[in-house]
Amino acid sequence: MSILAWIVLGLVAGFIASMLVNRRGSGMIRDLLLGVVGAFIGGFVATQFGHAGVTGLNLYSILVATLGAVVLLVIFHAFNRRRGLF
């Protein structure tokens, strides 16, 4: 995948995950980073279950990246609530 495809995938997946978990977007840069990191996490988890990871800019890859970003956000919020940072 090209860099532009990763950016688009990251923006879409990060925004969807932010809307699902936070019920609002987190800003363009944070959504982008969240989506790209979520794509790596989602791809890793998908391959562990015998499925393909992120394969390109398609609906399946957006779903995998969004699920990875949701997992990342839930873990992030769990640690921040426990420490009382946010």
Side-chain angles (χ1 to χ4, degrees):
M1 264 179 37
S2 70
I3 291 291
L4 183 61
W6 275 103
I7 290 171
V8 170
L9 179 75
L11 279 172
V12 171
F15 179 73
I16 293 170
S18 292
M19 294 300 284
L20 289 173
V21 176
N22 298 334
R23 294 195 169 86
R24 61 183 169 82
S26 298
M28 189 183 329
I29 300 297
R30 192 177 211 185
D31 284 346
L32 171 67
L33 293 174
L34 174 67
V36 171
V37 173
F40 284 112
I41 292 171
F44 175 76
V45 171
T47 56
Q48 295 303 310
F49 285 106
H51 297 286
V54 176
T55 58
L57 190 56
N58 53 36
L59 188 58
Y60 175 76
S61 295
I62 291 172
L63 178 67
V64 168
T66 301
L67 290 175
V70 166
V71 168
L72 179 65
L73 270 175
V74 168
I75 292 170
F76 176 76
H77 287 301
F79 280 112
N80 282 337
R81 285 188 188 136
R82 199 177 320 166
R83 288 192 210 175
L85 293 176
F86 293 100

